[in-house]
Amino acid sequence: MTPDLHLWLIPVLPLIGAAINGFVGRRLTRQAIVTVAIAFCGASFAMALYVALRFSGLAIPHLETLAPWIRAGSFQADFAFYVDQLSLVMLLVVTGVGLLIHIYSIGYMWEEGGFYRFFCYLNLFMFFMLTLVLASNYLLMFIGWEGVGLASYLLIGFWFTKDSAASAGKKAFIVNRIGDFGFLIALFLMIKHFGTLNFDRVFQFAASMSVENATAGLLTAIGLLLMVGAAGKSAQIPLYVWLPDAMEGPTPVSALIHAATMVTAGVYMIARSHVIFERAPTALMVVAIIGTLTALFAATIGIAQTDIKKVLAYSTISQLGYMFLACGVAAFSAGIFHLMTHAFFKGLLFLAAGSVIHAVGGEQDMRKMGGLWRKIPWTWATMLIATCAIAGIPGLSGFFSKDEILWRAYQASWAYWLVGVVTAFLTSFYMFRLMYMTFAGEYRGVTSDHSIVQEQAPARSRPSAAQAHHGIHESPRVMLIPLAILAFLSIVGGWIGVPGSLGGSNRFDRFLGPVFRATAPAVKPQHAAPGETAPPEQTTEGLESHTGRGTELAFTGISVFAALLGLYLARLLYLRRPALPERIAAALNGLYAAVANKYYVDELYATLFVHPVVEGSKHILWHGMDQGVIDATLDNSADATRHVSDSLRHMQSGNLRSYAGWVAAGAAVVIAYMVWTGTR
Amino acid sequence: MSLAFQASQALPRGTDYLRILPELVLSIFGMIIMVLDPVVDQRRNQKALGTLALIGSLAAIASTLWQARAPGLAFWNMVQVDTFSVFFHFLITTITAVVILTSYEYMEVQQIRVGEYYALILFGAVGMCLMSSAVELVLIFIALEISSISTYILAGFRRRAAISSEASIKYFLLGSFATAFFLYGVALMFGATGSTSIPTIEQHLRSGSIPVLAYVAIALMFVGLGFKVAAAPFHVWTPDVYEGAPAPIVGFMSTAPKAAVFAVLLRIMFQIHAPGRLGLIWVAAALSMTLGNIGALVQQNVKRLLAYSSIAHAGYLLVAFAALPQNGIPSAMFYTASYAAMNIGAFAVVSHFGGAGERYVTLEDYSGLGRRSPVLAAALTLFLLSLIGIPITAGFFAKFYVFSAALQANLVGLVIIGVINSAVAAYYYLRVIVVVYMHDPRDESVLPAVPLELGAALAITALTTIYLGLLPGRVLDYASRSAGDLLH
């Protein structure tokens, strides 16, 4: 008998917080709103810690059914929660980082209107995200999946009076619908062929099927459709376009939803469905290729952005690409490892960026910053740590997780590895570019008259007038403490996954091992470079003996070199010779314009999809179908119905004898019918 | 009846009484109320008698649960306690308790002398409970009469309102007319099979060719029962009676007796394997849905609107009767429970809002309710959304299961009619919601506060509506088991 951990409390606690703030928050003081939001989120984190403490005593996977939900024929989906090593990692990351960002938001949002609304949505997001992570079947997961989309929509459009924010919210929602459509069809396929959506049953079915090596069958189809869903939620090519726009939301939201947690849901979903993917090499290859391309593509866009949050947004897309690459080469635990470290350092980067924006009164254009490190030293220091982590400076968390992915990618194909290393170089470059532009050199913004700052700045995060008048200032302690904690985690977070070649034992990979290795197929999926594959039963330690520890160290050296090269180049261009970037940009006019304008993908989509759909909807669907056919039919039939209804009233004369007559007539018809049936 | 006495012993055993324990409890409390009524203080007895009735119904719920542990036959195989009967006992006694809760304030505001009001509710419940556990047609008839006569009187309880007396007399006359059909059907069934016991009839009909007489018997019984559940074409009485009867009583008689009669119909249609079932039900269901919804479209009086809505819902429910037994029975049972929760809730709001003499019952009176009483408006909205069948309310899963049961029986045409009807129905329910929230209040006066008892009733119905809409699994599981018991 396994113990009952009351797992349902973990998602439901933030829901209660959301309900309290949503229903009565308007009447509460800010202190009370904060207390409610933090208390319920914190309780959820405490529960997650409790689960982690009890974890060793559980039979894995640990399943708890709260209540039966849908039973239709043999199909069954319950409110049931599922804990294994994978969901435990996700659980701790989501609640832990979530709590820190909740705390940070107190300071960041204190002066904003709709304070209660913000924390209500934030708690609501936690509810859905935790449902997604803990679900024991795809249907419940899908509820969380849709719910985080809803919360994301609400929070991107938090300043809904601003047009750009409202349309960014819509864009995120609509693009995600495309992905969700794929996800749904994958679910329908599972229902049709497996008759169930419960993880254990689906994986049991999948595990009994053979690897679709040369063929592309059911599992490949499901895998590809799941990838469509994941690409929408995790902003991969071709559905990444919503994430940069999502930066219209308040910065803590960007940190929580659009960097640390929600956007990684796609990675989690793929990792969760690893049994399916392992038997569908084609689908797996698509995942790897999309991940690789996205990583490179987004990184190149990142180097030409001037909005501090946009740089981070493209960086997030690029890093998510790494995670997909890892999943695509069946190195799921490496993907999850990077997911975790990324949550730390990217969450920190966003929060620090928020602190910068806060300090300079709402300005987000890095060209109007500079020399800030002396004025906001804490923000600078923590952001520097996060930058080193993401750039892959040895010893920090990002170094270990990225190195792991690159190494495993190399074992699948050198091409993945090469693109990965180039991306690592680009990552280091744009991140240090961001650091130099923001913190080094001289302040390039308007210094004295802050009312001008107010006017010139697009006021993305709407600083209060009070703050703008105080000049550039360090953020309050309630914002700095989460920064410090995340900075600490960004340093040490990788130490649990130090690979054998560097004298560690990769405990993270071993911890997740039971999830990913128990059901792996006997033959590893054929990949681009079949000669270099190894049986998946082995851990990474096993792989070392295959290719040699020296080789792995050499590759580590190359990626470190790439990171340092990026740092050097950024230093050269943005600190030593600040005139150079413009000259280069001028020299590479066309290319630079293309990159700065994000390769015109938004414009392309607008021409190819949005415009035809809008025009078609307007002329054919609206004027033609809706008004001409549907409305006309409906109006006419409604009129007719009302007419009938009116005449029916005469049946209702109120006269007792006529009523009895109706009953008798009805009875006569019924008897006649039955006699006719009986004698037939 | 004569066949029943073939059973060995002449006197009922002790366990026999346990099998009718809820009925006994209700009867005893009803009689105590009748006896106390003249002796207790006129002004204070209002609440005291109500509380007594409430205790009685709670005791009946408790005895139902207790009785559930010892299923079996009683009284010479005329009464059968099984999961099926327990389900309906629990439903009916709970409805009774909730209706009593909604009556307290109503009776006070209307200044109606309580008298035998609560006793009649309990006696009515006795008949309804007995209907769900009786497996012998004559006993069913007696139970039906017990239930009907109580409701005839209750319908006329607004003694000062002529419309109420009119409702009562119409209901009584037409109801007796319909009951006669049922009794005639029982007689013909006896003629056709030589028995009035349902299991015996089933065996008889299964063993040989089915005489035409049995078909006619089914037809006649269906006329009688169809009248009671307000199924078309026997629904004509419904709007007039619902408009005139006291609002809490409408809530009562649109749910509890209907549940009981549906239980009887389930036995007759599925346990007996009624011949000619499909065509009969098909037409009645389609007619009820269509006539009910179309009739509701132009109604201005909320009580009349809900009356037509209840005709339509009887139609949706009948769809389940056309399906295969293993899906049809649980979905019909789930539907009765869901419908009870949302409809009693809606009538609880109506009875509170109506005020003295039920003055405020038209749609226009409801305008701006959202601003005048947000809680009441939210509750009403929930019940109406559930009546439409919007997800996360009971109404959604109720319709879903009924329609999916029908689809599994390949009744595509009936399902299409049902779905189109649901769309039509959304119009008039939403119209109420629009009026409640979008229109300016005509009357800015402050509404009386919702008293504790009514609040409790609203909370129970609202939570049940949401519970069944979120977690239908448990109830449906139980209903499926009952279906197994019924069919075995």
Side-chain angles (χ1 to χ4, degrees), chain A residues 573-628:
Chain A
L573 289 178
Y574 291 94
L575 190 68
R576 296 277 182 72
R577 308 172 69 175
L580 209 53
E582 277 175 36
R583 294 227 312 267
I584 297 175
L588 300 171
N589 193 9
L591 184 64
Y592 179 79
V595 173
N597 288 302
K598 311 156 223 168
Y599 299 111
Y600 302 102
V601 170
D602 273 328
E603 287 75 6
L604 184 72
Y605 282 6
T607 322
L608 277 184
F609 303 114
V610 180
H611 187 71
V613 168
V614 168
E615 288 302 306
S617 305
K618 196 165 147 193
H619 293 298
I620 302 169
L621 293 180
W622 179 21
H623 292 309
M625 270 312 274
D626 199 39
Q627 288 184 342

Side-chain angles (χ1 to χ4, degrees), chain A residues 441-478:
Chain A
E442 293 301 315
Y443 184 56
R444 295 180 295 274
V446 184
T447 42
S448 53
D449 193 348
H450 289 288
S451 58
I452 295 176
V453 174
Q454 274 282 55
E455 274 172 44
Q456 286 185 339
R460 281 256 159 64
S461 51
R462 288 219 221 143
S464 70
Q467 279 170 355
H469 284 290
H470 284 135
I472 299 168
H473 57 98
E474 184 59 284
S475 299
R477 200 169 297 164
V478 70

Side-chain angles (χ1 to χ4, degrees), chain A residues 48-113:
Chain A
L49 285 181
Y50 171 71
V51 172
L53 283 179
R54 298 282 301 272
F55 192 73
S56 57
L58 297 178
I60 303 298
H62 176 68
L63 207 66
E64 277 182 21
T65 304
L66 174 64
W69 180 25
I70 296 177
R71 305 265 165 97
S74 61
F75 178 79
Q76 181 182 340
D78 290 340
F79 286 110
F81 302 104
Y82 185 94
V83 167
D84 62 2
Q85 288 86 346
L86 176 59
S87 27
L88 183 69
V89 170
M90 291 300 289
L91 197 58
L92 289 173
V93 169
V94 170
T95 53
V97 176
L99 179 62
L100 289 175
I101 292 172
H102 269 72
I103 295 170
Y104 174 92
S105 305
I106 303 172
Y108 194 84
M109 300 300 288
W110 192 258
E111 313 268 344
E112 294 292 339

